[in-house]
Amino acid sequence: KPFDTEYVEANYPVDYNESMNTVLNQELLRFNKLIVRVRSTLVDVGKAVKGLVVMSPELEEVANGILENMMPGVWKKVSYPSLKPIVSYVGDLAARLKFLQDWIDKGAPVTFWLSGFFFTQSFLTGQLQNYARKTKMEIDTLVWNYKVLPAVEQKFQKPETGCLVYGIFMDGARWDDIDGCIAESFPKVLFCEMPHLHLTPCESSK
């Protein structure tokens, strides 16, 4: 079911020093729109199969998508960018919703699923805003610096500056954790997941 945005806004109100509250609330609004669209069309497809409602072109597209494992266009209009077939898409959507629900229940995570956001740029901008307001610097002067963390490291702590992210992939290359550099991909492996990254804001002049 859709997220209770009123409850979340009460527990994560707009805060000058914590832009992640705004990011969370904006993400929930976007995902709620998608959840409502997915749920309503699936319910209506079930009714159409039973002959209770007319099978409209949109519902037919959803039904064909289920049978052919293709993403319906009616979902794409309100969805985050995705090239996954419908089976993989539903699993991915469920994982994103769990990530947000854990955030609501347990507070902001120590590590953020960067590719799990509906609008990644809002998260990155929010992190820059937090740093700019903390250090009283102009956000326009800031850029991102990053450090690739060891792949074996699993227990993370919230950094004093910046944020820890995961969910980034390399296309046609891989990260060599031993040498700490980009290397050629293994045979027949097109995509390689990066280890966690520590993103740190810094002045562009430095």
Side-chain angles (χ1 to χ4, degrees):
K1 63 180 181 179
F3 293 103
D4 186 348
T5 53
E6 291 185 1
Y7 168 82
V8 176
E9 287 177 1
N11 286 272
Y12 296 89
V14 176
D15 187 341
Y16 180 82
N17 296 313
E18 184 50 87
S19 296
M20 290 300 97
N21 289 0
T22 302
V23 171
L24 174 61
N25 282 289
Q26 290 177 345
E27 286 291 304
L28 296 184
L29 291 175
R30 296 187 183 99
F31 273 100
N32 273 357
K33 190 174 182 180
L34 174 58
I35 293 170
V36 170
R37 177 67 60 86
V38 171
R39 188 181 185 87
S40 64
T41 52
L42 290 177
V43 170
D44 287 344
V45 165
K47 292 179 179 179
V49 171
K50 295 178 181 179
L52 301 177
V53 298
V54 177
M55 180 70 82
S56 66
E58 285 188 346
L59 296 183
E60 187 175 358
E61 184 181 25
V62 174
N64 290 336
I66 295 173
L67 294 174
E68 299 173 5
N69 195 23
M70 294 178 61
M71 177 76 164
V74 67
W75 291 5
K76 286 183 180 181
K77 292 178 182 178
V78 294
S79 173
Y80 49 86
S82 178
L83 298 175
K84 295 178 181 290
I86 192 170
V87 173
S88 300
Y89 177 83
V90 170
D92 178 66
L93 175 59
R96 291 170 188 252
L97 298 180
K98 183 181 183 304
F99 168 70
L100 293 173
Q101 189 62 56
D102 287 344
W103 188 341
I104 295 170
D105 296 338
K106 304 175 183 178
V110 176
T111 61
F112 293 91
W113 182 12
L114 189 61
S115 55
F117 285 99
F118 207 110
F119 186 46
T120 306
Q121 191 60 41
S122 67
F123 166 75
L124 295 174
T125 301
Q127 288 287 345
L128 288 179
Q129 284 180 337
N130 282 348
Y131 182 82
R133 290 167 178 172
K134 179 181 179 180
T135 58
K136 302 188 184 305
M137 298 172 61
E138 294 183 7
I139 191 172
D140 294 339
T141 65
L142 299 176
V143 294
W144 283 110
N145 193 6
Y146 66 91
K147 176 184 179 182
V148 182
L149 302 180
V152 295
E153 187 172 344
Q154 296 296 331
K155 294 183 179 179
F156 300 100
Q157 295 182 345
K158 184 178 180 179
E160 294 184 3
T161 303
C163 58
L164 302 179
V165 299
Y166 64 95
I168 300 176
F169 292 80
M170 300 188 73
D171 182 355
R174 65 179 176 88
W175 179 257
D176 189 325
D177 198 54
I178 297 177
D179 294 333
C181 63
I182 297 175
E184 291 187 10
S185 58
F186 293 118
K188 299 181 180 180
V189 178
L190 183 59
F191 301 104
C192 176
E193 185 172 7
M194 289 282 293
H196 283 67
L197 300 180
H198 182 192
L199 302 183
T200 310
C202 64
E203 286 188 90
S204 57
S205 59
K206 297 181 180 179

